[in-house]
Amino acid sequence: MAVINESPVAMKKISSTEKPRVVATIPVGAKPVGVTVDVHDHVFVTNSGASTVSVINSVTNTVSATLNVGFHPESVATDPQFGVYVANGGNFTVSALDRFHTLVATIVVGGPPGPPPPDMLRLAVDHLMSRAYVANRGLDRVSIIGISSDPPALSLDFTRVEGPLGVAVDPVSHRVFVTRPDHNKVSVIDATTHGVIGSIPVGQHPTGIAIDPQARRVYVANSGFKTVSMIDMATGGVVEIDVGASPTGVAVDSHGAVYVTHSDGLVRVIDPGSAGVMARIPVGSQPQGLAFEPHSNRVYVANRGDSTVSAIDLAGG
């Protein structure tokens, strides 16, 4: 497994006019952790300390709505046709909202007895397959929700995966990639059989995961160390990129640049060509999840420590 260090040699120069920077700091609910976007200039942020989702208008960078969901929402995903889905780790449910952000179903996915610790549920949507995949760390499974049914419903089918957390879907092959922080692996689920067809060793305590479908790569934030694992989907090969201590969340923009949150209040940017860190962007306290919004050409970062969202303009504002 190759390792590429964060070094001045590997860093790409960015001109002052192109340097990404924070152009807005947006107050949201308590302890925001998860972020996603839709096709209508909306950014959705799960407020894990408030049992709400904040909806940000990416044109104005203001909160346009606050949606009530389940207890301790940890993850959010959208589908352009069927709506918004929120994984609530505090009561092991998924809140399903329609395109108008009205709650249409609360789906119980189940969990172990007793008060759940954080980082129990995350989810991702495959639009073409009309499915939401829910990684349930408490039950060692990845569940499937049929999002085209009215109301959306939990499938009886699920995949057994020990300790799953981060989840992402490749829109080309429809394979599902799942991080397993307690096992230092990423498992791959086949979309047809729903069986695990491979497990890829990565770095320590992998959490966040994102896919670049154009470059056929998967990026994994290894929060227990200081690397992001870059997986080649064609070969299964892995390169470890040194990005600095405790990377948590990861997102990819339309040009293949990779954005990584760190507990030190920075977002580091990986150049896909050199696989080196080319920029460091100060954001808020304890940044967690993040997402790229293509219409505004911005990355939105949930700052758990100060209950804000940082909007990073990739063109420098």
Side-chain angles (χ1 to χ4, degrees):
M1 188 182 299
V3 177
I4 297 178
N5 292 322
E6 178 185 20
S7 67
V9 175
M11 291 177 62
K12 176 183 175 182
K13 297 293 184 180
I14 301 177
S15 72
S16 58
T17 58
E18 295 177 327
K19 187 175 182 180
R21 65 183 182 90
V22 173
V23 293
T25 300
I26 307 159
V28 290
K31 299 180 180 179
V33 291
V35 188
T36 195
V37 303
D38 68 7
V39 296
H40 303 293
D41 302 314
H42 294 131
V43 180
F44 299 86
V45 183
T46 56
N47 301 312
S48 65
S51 299
T52 61
V53 169
S54 295
V55 184
I56 297 171
N57 183 320
S58 65
V59 176
T60 63
N61 279 332
T62 58
V63 174
S64 59
T66 300
L67 312 175
N68 293 317
V69 290
F71 180 53
H72 196 78
E74 296 182 330
S75 179
V76 58
T78 63
D79 180 89
Q81 183 176 357
F82 299 114
V84 183
Y85 304 87
V86 183
N88 306 302
N91 58 2
F92 294 102
T93 64
V94 171
S95 300
L97 302 96
D98 63 18
R99 290 179 299 163
F100 306 102
H101 308 161
T102 300
L103 182 67
V104 295
T106 299
I107 303 163
V108 178
V109 296
D119 286 338
M120 296 304 290
L121 290 186
R122 294 191 187 176
L123 83 173
V125 164
D126 186 334
H127 168 64
L128 292 179
M129 302 294 283
S130 298
R131 296 171 183 166
Y133 292 92
V134 185
N136 188 331
R137 199 173 178 190
L139 290 183
D140 292 328
R141 64 175 56 170
V142 176
S143 297
I144 301 169
I145 294 174
I147 61 176
S148 60
S149 63
D150 188 14
L154 185 68
S155 169
L156 295 177
D157 199 6
F158 63 86
T159 302
R160 176 80 177 177
V161 180
E162 290 187 8
L165 184 58
V167 56
V169 179
D170 172 28
V172 178
S173 68
H174 302 285
R175 289 178 175 176
V176 183
F177 294 79
V178 183
T179 63
R180 300 169 58 198
D182 302 318
H183 302 271
N184 301 335
K185 291 182 179 180
V186 170
S187 288
V188 187
I189 299 171
D190 181 80
T192 302
T193 66
H194 301 158
V196 174
I197 57 174
S199 289
I200 304 167
V202 290
Q204 295 176 16
H205 204 81
T207 51
I209 185 168
I211 289 176
D212 183 343
Q214 302 299 322
R216 311 303 298 145
R217 292 173 176 169
V218 181
Y219 293 93
V220 181
N222 301 308
S223 64
F225 192 45
K226 59 176 184 176
T227 64
V228 166
S229 298
M230 182 175 67
I231 302 170
D232 186 315
M233 280 194 274
T235 66
V238 179
V239 171
E240 298 292 340
I241 305 170
D242 186 342
V243 293
S246 303
T248 304
V250 59
V252 182
D253 72 15
S254 56
H255 298 290
V258 184
Y259 302 80
V260 186
T261 55
H262 295 259
S263 58
D264 60 3
L266 291 177
V267 169
R268 288 173 170 85
V269 187
I270 299 171
D271 170 39
S274 66
V277 173
M278 62 178 177
R280 302 171 183 83
I281 307 165
V283 289
S285 173
Q286 300 175 36
Q288 301 281 308
L290 70 171
F292 171 64
E293 202 293 303
H295 298 150
S296 62
N297 195 34
R298 295 181 187 134
V299 170
Y300 287 83
V301 183
N303 302 308
R304 184 181 186 275
D306 58 19
S307 299
T308 65
V309 169
S310 298
I312 301 173
D313 191 303
L314 305 189

